[in-house]
RNA sequence: GGCCCCGUAGUUCAAUGGAUAGAACGGAAGUUUCCUAAACUUUAAAUAUAGGUUCGAUUCCUAUCGGGGCUACCA
């Protein structure tokens, strides 16, 4: 890439002119601001210590050196300490003709032997997926695509939290009030049926706690002594003891949940290479904990419970095994990490998990380190922000969530209404129309979620439906569809643009050059997004690309241009742009329609 | 109480320590005998407060104020 060359030559300039060694990474190279002439800018302020000259003089000297040693540089000018470099049209034309037919443009060659294991989704089988899970799933899937584009081998794994006290709560409520109803008898999606009982448990539990407090118990006592929670704990004990009846019900109810999840996953367009079940890893976790106790890195209290004491590392004591011998979340996560490492020997293990679990992952890494597991250093928690509603946080227990299936239904409906209003579905068959509504609706939803920096909390207001205009998924899709329509017209007008050869000497108009520059930036976008683990970087790039193209398309005629070379050039730019929009959208897991 | 994260236009989001803080939606005003107006153009509007470090701070540090999370023998 030209950036590398610019950095290296700048170092040479500093060496030749001022006699100092400079690390290429230390060169302040950036894209030139929009209002200023130039393609790349070198900030020379940090170099003044070496040059011992004024900013202007330093920039001018380096600029002169670069121009002499790099044919790609056509001219330069200096504003204060900013050295603005203008690359030649020839450079941009060469880039365009070399890469526009390269299907792998922007993607890095595989360069890693060991894979990356990427965990995302991680549902609990006691309730259906909600908007928070949607963010998780979309982030996970998109990150996998981005890492692959960076040349990594990615194993997508899902860890199903299929056991634990929370599952027992749903089971207990079902046993008490379920009347043997099933997804079949109720017509409810399996995960929704189970969610109903989870909410029911919590409602009744709350009442019990309330009553006990009335009778004079403290809140803590009431929460621990309420009959429902005591019963749920008994069920967990029975389950860990493999009581046949308990295990049967557990299997039946989890089966319903899986059926429901499958439908949601398929609709979201996400998938996994390997599914781990907590019920299959918690025993390994227990084993590790017992081993840690023998090693002397854990402590056992009088009641038999086992803890990690992390106080000397700035954390607290953490329970790893309950007094009754049953395991907790951390227990199974220790086992899962070990199993995953044994299965794949990955170079890193990335966990896409919400930032409310930052502490959990701190502890996980530290405990594994105490066990002497070197892979603990390669555990990476991609801690994404919560999706908040105007009223605050979503709570499954209280049923105040934006349900994933409902939201997707709404997106489909809105897409259908809008498309019909615009009269764009008129010429489509029912099947094609339905496909288009799905593409647009899901595109709007996915882009809305992914354009936000993963680390930040984001707000979703259900009252204001997700937009289809402006910086949105449908905006990109529209730009793509319009380009396809243009290319079809070019074909029927007889332009053989696919085999055409364009003279590299063609001079470029500013809008043409800007359009090519944006295409060039696809490469660094992929790298940055991969380094930062951020689909938002791809989304921001996409908007810039599409917005800029629409401007180009508005201002300059393509097929109606008189100069035949210009027609070919602009078809090339259009076709390359369409290509990159599609690729970028794929990195986000979003489809593009050929027409809309 | 302790620990962590976040405060940018009316709203939702941008900005590797760099030039005049960008967009979108919403507001105001325009562009269709012209390659798809889900588009394009113009316009008003913001860095919570006070210090500090720096040639330069939305970005780093400290304090204050405001919001969120964690601090469970829940996951």
């Amino acid at each position: 890439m030209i950036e590398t060359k610019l950095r290296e030559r700048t170092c040479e300039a500093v060496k030749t002119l001022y006699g100092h060694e400079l690390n290429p990474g230390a060169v302040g190279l950036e894209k030139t601001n929009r209002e200023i002439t130039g393609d790349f800018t070198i900030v020379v302020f940090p170099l003044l210590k070496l040059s011992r000259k004024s900013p202007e003089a330093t920039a001018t000297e380096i600029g002169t050196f670069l121009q002499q040693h790099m044919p790609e540089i056509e001219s330069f000018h200096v504003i204060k300490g900013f050295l603005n470099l203008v690359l030649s049209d020839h450079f941009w034309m060469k880039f365009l003709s070399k890469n526009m037919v390269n299907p792998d443009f922007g993607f890095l060659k595989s360069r890693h032997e060991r894979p990356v294991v990427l965990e995302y989704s991680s549902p609990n089988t006691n309730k259906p997926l909600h908007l928070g899970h949607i963010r998780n799933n979309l982030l996970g899937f998109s990150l996998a695509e981005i890492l692959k584009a960076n040349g990594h081998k990615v194993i997508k794994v899902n860890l199903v939290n299929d056991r634990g006290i929370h599952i027992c709560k749903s089971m207990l409520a079902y046993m008490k009030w379920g009347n043997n109803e099933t997804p079949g008898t109720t017509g409810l999606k399996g995960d929704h049926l189970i969610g109903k009982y989870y909410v029911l448990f919590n409602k009744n539990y709350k009442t019990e706690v309330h009553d006990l407090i009335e009778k004079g118990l403290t809140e803590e006592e009431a929460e621990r002594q309420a009959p429902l929670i005591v019963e749920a704990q008994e069920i967990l004990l029975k389950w860990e003891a493999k009581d046949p009846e308990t295990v049967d019900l557990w299997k039946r109810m989890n089966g319903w949940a899986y059926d429901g999840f499958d439908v949601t996953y398929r609709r979201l367009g996400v998938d996994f290479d390997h599914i781990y079940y907590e019920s299959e890893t918690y025993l390994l976790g227990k084993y590790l904990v017992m081993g840690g106790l023998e090693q002397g890195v854990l402590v056992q209290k009088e009641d038999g419970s086992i803890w990690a004491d992390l106080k000397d590392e700035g954390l607290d004591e953490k329970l790893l095994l309950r007094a009754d011998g049953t395991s907790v979340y951390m227990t199974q996560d220790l086992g899962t990490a070990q199993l995953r490492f044994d299965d794949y020997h990955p170079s890193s293990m990335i966990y896409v998990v919400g930032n409310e679990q930052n502490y959990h992952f701190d502890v996980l890494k530290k405990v594994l380190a105490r066990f002497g597991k070197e892979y603990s250093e390669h555990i990476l928690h991609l801690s994404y922000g919560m999706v908040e509603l105007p009223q605050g946080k979503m709570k499954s227990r209280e049923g105040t969530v934006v349900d994933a299936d409902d939201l997707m239904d709404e997106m489909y409906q809105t897409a259908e209404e809008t498309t019909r209003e615009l009269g764009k579905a008129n010429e489509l068959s029912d099947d094609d129309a339905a496909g288009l509504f799905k593409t647009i609706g899901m595109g709007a939803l996915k882009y809305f979620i992914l354009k936000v920096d993963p680390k930040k909390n984001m707000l979703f207001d259900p009252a204001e439906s997700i937009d289809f205009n402006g910086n949105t998924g449908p905006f990109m899709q529209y730009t793509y569809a319009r380009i396809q329509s243009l290319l079809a017209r070019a074909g029927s007008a007889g332009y053989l643009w696919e085999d055409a050869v364009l003279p590299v000497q063609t001079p470029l108009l500013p809008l043409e050059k800007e359009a090519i520059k944006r295409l060039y930036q696809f490469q660094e976008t992929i790298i940055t997004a991969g380094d930062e683990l951020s689909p938002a970087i791809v989304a921001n790039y996409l908007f810039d690309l599409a917005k800029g193209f629409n401007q180009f398309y508005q201002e300059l005629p393509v097929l109606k241009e008189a100069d035949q070379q210009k027609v070919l050039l602009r078809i090339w730019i259009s076709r390359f742009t369409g290509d990159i929009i599609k690729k970028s959208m794929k990195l986000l897991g979003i489809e593009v329609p050929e027409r809309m």
Side-chain angles (χ1 to χ4, degrees), chain A residues 138-162:
Chain A
L138 297 181
L139 277 173
F141 184 84
S142 175
L143 279 176
E145 293 296 306
I146 289 169
L147 289 172
K148 285 186 214 165
N150 276 285
H152 290 280
K153 182 170 170 21
V154 181
I155 314 278
K156 290 182 273 188
V157 304
N158 190 358
L159 172 66
V160 180
N161 294 293
D162 63 343

Side-chain angles (χ1 to χ4, degrees), chain A residues 124-377:
Chain A
N124 293 336
T125 53
N126 63 332
K127 59 193 179 198
L129 305 180
H130 59 63
L131 183 53
H133 297 109
I134 289 190
R135 189 175 194 191
N136 182 310
N137 280 279
L138 297 181
L139 277 173
F141 184 84
S142 175
L143 279 176
E145 293 296 306
I146 289 169
L147 289 172
K148 285 186 214 165
N150 276 285
H152 290 280
K153 182 170 170 21
V154 181
I155 314 278
K156 290 182 273 188
V157 304
N158 190 358
L159 172 66
V160 180
N161 294 293
D162 63 343
R163 60 155 293 284
I165 190 78
H166 55 303
I167 312 288
C168 297
K169 291 176 183 176
S170 295
M171 286 166 60
L172 178 62
Y174 181 79
M175 284 156 63
K176 282 186 176 301
W177 306 296
N179 298 320
N180 285 317
E181 59 178 31
T182 67
T185 63
T186 56
L188 274 176
K189 205 161 155 279
D191 49 340
H192 288 262
L193 180 66
I194 291 173
K196 188 176 110 177
Y197 287 102
Y198 187 60
V199 173
L200 197 58
F201 172 92
N202 283 292
K203 205 177 121 201
N204 286 289
Y205 173 56
K206 225 172 158 178
T207 313
E208 285 186 355
V209 170
H210 180 79
D211 291 349
L212 287 175
I213 292 174
E214 294 272 287
K215 284 183 191 155
L217 270 67
T218 67
E219 190 173 339
E220 203 180 317
E221 287 168 342
E223 281 175 359
R224 211 175 314 141
Q225 293 175 21
L228 276 171
I229 195 70
V230 173
E231 277 187 80
Q233 277 159 355
E234 282 164 9
I235 294 177
L236 182 61
L237 268 172
K238 281 198 205 162
W239 183 89
E240 290 208 11
K242 297 194 165 44
D243 169 61
E245 237 175 276
T246 310
V247 169
D248 271 356
L249 178 63
W250 172 75
K251 276 188 183 160
R252 198 151 73 101
M253 289 181 72
N254 272 352
W256 296 342
Y258 299 145
D259 291 345
F261 290 161
D262 280 348
V263 171
T264 308
Y265 284 147
R266 213 171 304 129
R267 241 180 131 181
L268 271 174
V270 303
D271 56 21
F272 307 94
D273 300 306
H274 190 150
I275 298 182
Y276 287 95
Y277 296 91
E278 193 187 314
S279 56
E280 293 168 355
T281 66
Y282 81 100
L283 287 174
L284 178 55
K286 276 190 176 181
Y287 175 80
L288 287 171
V289 169
M290 297 317 290
L293 190 62
E294 278 173 34
Q295 268 180 280
V297 296
L298 301 179
V299 292
Q300 186 158 31
K301 298 206 171 172
E302 282 175 10
D303 63 4
S305 58
I306 300 177
W307 300 71
D309 182 356
L310 302 170
K311 285 202 286 266
D312 55 345
E313 298 190 61
L315 302 178
D316 215 333
E317 288 184 324
K318 184 75 186 176
L319 176 84
L320 299 181
L321 222 45
R322 292 191 185 101
D324 65 8
T326 58
S327 54
V328 292
Y329 178 44
M330 184 62 74
T331 322
Q332 66 79 21
D333 237 14
L334 293 167
T336 307
Q338 181 65 45
L339 190 56
R340 212 169 268 178
F341 181 77
D342 292 342
D343 283 347
Y344 296 107
H345 288 86
S347 59
S348 66
M349 302 200 270
I350 302 176
Y351 291 71
V352 182
V353 178
N355 63 13
E356 56 193 351
Q357 292 191 32
N358 287 353
Y359 185 72
H360 172 82
F361 280 96
D362 265 2
V363 173
L364 178 72
K365 289 180 72 163
K366 291 211 159 84
V367 172
L368 284 170
R370 288 208 174 179
F371 289 170
K373 307 293 184 187
E374 280 167 21
Y375 61 77
S376 69
E377 287 170 35

Side-chain angles (χ1 to χ4, degrees), chain A residues 382-433:
Chain A
L382 181 81
S383 161
Y384 67 89
M386 300 288 98
V387 183
E388 286 162 2
L389 301 178
Q391 315 84 27
K393 205 187 169 191
M394 288 184 270
K395 293 199 175 94
S396 297
R397 257 173 294 180
E398 292 164 25
T400 55
V401 297
V402 174
D403 179 76
D405 296 311
D406 291 350
L407 182 59
M408 285 191 279
D409 285 343
E410 282 167 31
M411 293 309 300
Y412 181 93
Q413 281 161 20
T414 315
E416 173 164 12
E417 281 164 27
T418 312
T419 307
R420 290 204 190 280
E421 269 171 33
L422 291 168
K424 302 215 177 198
N426 297 348
E427 294 165 25
L428 298 178
S429 71
D430 287 355
D431 278 358
D432 287 351

Side-chain angles (χ1 to χ4, degrees), chain A residues 465-589:
Chain A
S465 55
I466 292 174
D467 237 299
F468 284 38
N469 297 323
N471 188 0
T472 66
F475 178 91
M476 316 304 155
Q477 293 173 325
Y478 175 73
T479 307
Y480 176 82
R482 210 157 62 159
I483 289 172
Q484 299 320 300
S485 157
L486 179 77
L487 294 179
R489 280 175 186 272
S492 40
Y495 286 105
L496 299 169
W497 50 270
E498 298 195 61
D499 307 314
V501 180
L502 261 184
V504 198
Q505 308 309 335
T506 316
L508 297 170
L509 293 174
L511 278 171
E512 294 165 340
K513 182 169 147 178
E514 292 303 314
I516 299 173
K517 264 163 76 173
R518 281 189 295 269
L519 295 166
Y520 180 85
Q521 284 152 13
F522 182 57
Q523 308 168 95
E524 72 161 308
T525 301
I526 287 187
I527 294 169
T528 314
D531 289 347
E532 311 264 319
L533 299 178
S534 170
I537 287 170
V538 176
N540 287 342
Y541 166 75
L542 249 172
F543 182 58
D544 193 48
L545 179 69
K547 177 91 185 156
F549 179 81
N550 284 338
Q551 204 176 76
F552 162 92
Y553 184 81
Q554 184 82 17
E555 300 291 328
L556 300 175
V558 178
L559 301 176
K560 300 195 165 142
E561 165 66 39
D563 182 341
Q564 291 304 294
Q565 286 197 350
K566 281 287 183 189
V567 175
L568 278 177
L569 170 68
R570 290 175 195 169
I571 292 176
W572 275 20
I573 290 173
S574 304
R575 122 103 211 209
F576 199 0
T577 303
D579 211 43
I580 299 303
I581 290 176
K582 189 174 188 171
K583 277 188 187 172
S584 303
M585 290 288 265
K586 188 155 183 289
L587 292 178
L588 300 180

